[in-house]
Amino acid sequence: IKMSRFWSKTVKNLTPYVPGEQPKLSQLIKLNTNESPYGPSPKALAAIASANTDGLRLYPDPNSDALKQSIAKVHGLSSEQVFVGNGSDEVLAHAFLGLLKHEDPILFPDITYSFYPVYCNLYDISFINIPLDEDFAINTKDYIRKNGGIIFPNPNAPTGRALPLADIKALLESNTESVVVIDEAYVDFGTESAVSLVNQYDNLLVTHTLSKSYALAGLRVGYAVGHPDLIEGLERVKNSFNSYPIDKLAMAGAIAAIEDQDYLKKISQAVINTRAELVKSLDQLGFETISSSANFIFTKHPQHDAAKIAASLREKHIIVRHFKMPRIDQHLRITIGTDEQCAKLIAALQEIV
Ligand SMILES: *Cc1c(COP(=O)(O)O)cnc(C)c1O
C-alpha cells in the first residue's frame, strides 16, 4: 500500500470498507449493492422538491426533531428513543464508539456485514468472531460469554438468514450487562422486528435504514431506536463529530417516505414475490440458495466456481457481488431486481451453467 509521510499513525493502520461498485455505465443490470429496483415514494420526491428553496441558505435543525417524531410515531415510541444519522452506517459508527467500546471484546459473527471489523479497527475496539453454524445460522447460545457488546444484522448479511424474535429475546435475557445492537437493514423483507422489545430491555439498540426497503440509498438516512440513555450516548458522539448530519432535503424526503407506509409495504411485497420466483428458477438451474428474508439471495452452484459465474455475468452486463473470503468464496450475493431484471439474470445463467 502506498503511504504518505503526512498520514497519522491512525490512518496508516486503517483497513477501510470497500463498498460494492457503483459503475458509471448505465446499461448494466445492477444487482450488487442491495438497492431497491423501484423508485422512492412519489411523496418523498415531492417533499424533496418542495424543500429545494432559498431556505437552504439556513442550517437544518441540528436535532432533526420532526424526523424523530415521524419515526417514533411509526414505531409507537417517543422521540427520546430515536437517534438519526447520515445513513445507518453513521449510526452504527457512533454506536461502536459510544456504546460498544469497552474493556471486553465485542462479539459478532464470522460471516456478517463487513463494516463491523472496520469500525473496530478505526476505534481500536477488540472483537471476537463467533462462527455461524454449517448452515450459516446464528446460534445465540454461542454469544453467552463475557463481552463488551454484541452486534449482528437480522436478517444477517450477506446470508439473508433471519433469526426468530424468540432467539433475540432469549439472548437479551441472558446478556444484560452489555449493549446488544440488532442491525435491521433488511427487516422489511419479512423478518419480525426487535423494535417491539426496546421498551422491555434497556440494553437493546435496533438500527434501521432508508437505503434498502424505502428505496432511498441516495438520500443517506438511517436511525436507531432504544432506551433514552442509549440514545443520549449516541447524541453525545454525534454532537462531538457533526452537528448537522441530516440536511434539509434529506429531512423532508425521509419524513414523507416514513409517513408513506403503504408505499413501503407495496414495494417490499413486490421484492418478496420476485424473490420467491427467482429462487425457484435458480433451483431449476441447480443452484443451492439459502432461505432469504432480505432483498438479496445468497446462492452457490455445486459445479461452477462463483467468481467465474460473476465474471461471466459481468460480460453480459449483469453485476452481482462475490466476496473473496473464507467459507463464502463459492457463494454469490444477488440483489432482487424487478421481475424483468431477474428474468434476464436467469436467461444469462442458463447460458453460463
Ligand atoms: C446496507 C447496510 C447498512 C447501511 O446502510 P446505510 O445505507 O448506511 O443506511 C447497514 N447494515 C447492513 C447490514 C447493511 O446491509
Side-chain angles (χ1 to χ4, degrees), residues 87-89 92 113 116 153 157 183 185-186 209-212 220-222:
S88 62
D89 282 342
L92 290 167
Y113 188 34
Y116 302 158
D183 177 349
Y186 302 102
T209 176
L210 272 64
S211 300
K212 315 286 167 51
R220 309 305 304 130
V221 178

Side-chain angles (χ1 to χ4, degrees), residues 94-213:
H94 292 346
F96 273 80
L97 183 61
L99 304 173
L100 299 176
K101 184 177 162 79
H102 300 287
E103 281 296 301
D104 288 315
I106 68 166
L107 312 176
F108 52 81
D110 60 338
I111 299 164
T112 194
Y113 188 34
S114 48
F115 225 136
Y116 302 158
V118 173
Y119 294 132
C120 287
N121 187 226
L122 172 64
Y123 293 127
D124 196 19
I125 300 168
S126 60
F127 64 93
I128 296 172
N129 281 142
I130 309 292
L132 298 181
D133 73 13
E134 321 79 83
D135 299 326
F136 288 161
I138 291 173
N139 191 337
T140 52
K141 290 200 181 67
D142 299 340
Y143 291 75
I144 305 179
R145 56 193 285 174
K146 201 156 174 283
N147 65 73
I150 296 172
I151 181 167
F152 54 78
N154 192 36
N156 195 12
T159 64
R161 272 197 75 141
L163 204 59
L165 196 58
D167 287 28
I168 291 179
K169 222 174 154 193
L171 177 66
L172 288 160
E173 293 293 338
S174 64
N175 190 89
T176 56
E177 301 307 304
S178 70
V179 171
V180 176
V181 180
I182 308 295
D183 177 349
E184 293 191 344
Y186 302 102
V187 75
D188 295 320
F189 303 105
T191 301
E192 250 185 310
S193 173
V195 169
S196 61
L197 302 177
V198 297
N199 283 328
Q200 239 175 303
Y201 299 94
D202 65 358
N203 63 331
L204 170 63
L205 190 80
V206 183
T207 62
H208 280 199
T209 176
L210 272 64
S211 300
K212 315 286 167 51
S213 56

Side-chain angles (χ1 to χ4, degrees), residues 250-269:
M251 178 102 92
I255 291 171
I258 284 167
E259 288 179 352
D260 196 354
Q261 289 290 307
D262 287 344
Y263 186 80
L264 171 72
K265 290 197 183 98
K266 190 174 89 181
I267 62 172
S268 301
Q269 192 57 50

